[in-house]
Amino acid sequence: KFGVPRRGASILNAPIIMSRNYYIIDGHHRWGQVMLVNPEFSLQAVVLPLDIVTLLNMSKSYGTAIGNKQNM
């Protein structure tokens, strides 16, 4: 809708968040949109030093602690 992404566009300023084994935790919608338009484009990423299973378990525990109902 807004054309080809270019460096400096506001949607591209925030890095995507990844596990140490490179699963995207946050930013997968941005990554998907960019890859559809320009697969050669690169996004900045923050790679957390935890594996995906640990991160998912932590996020579930946090969600429960703040009162979010889990989908089983």
Side-chain angles (χ1 to χ4, degrees):
K1 178 178 179 180
F2 298 105
V4 176
R6 60 193 183 285
R7 190 67 55 201
S10 61
I11 192 172
L12 305 176
N13 287 342
I16 59 174
I17 310 297
M18 302 172 74
S19 68
R20 74 171 180 209
N21 45 347
Y22 305 109
Y23 285 94
I24 299 174
I25 305 299
D26 183 50
H28 61 282
H29 289 114
R30 280 180 283 136
W31 176 84
Q33 292 169 346
V34 168
M35 291 301 110
L36 284 173
V37 176
N38 184 0
E40 302 291 319
F41 196 84
S42 62
L43 295 171
Q44 290 185 354
V46 172
V47 180
L48 301 174
L50 300 167
D51 64 90
I52 188 64
V53 174
T54 302
L55 286 170
L56 289 177
N57 287 333
M58 288 173 63
S59 64
K60 287 179 185 177
S61 296
Y62 176 75
T64 300
I66 64 170
N68 291 341
K69 183 179 175 185
Q70 289 189 20
N71 296 326
M72 300 289 173

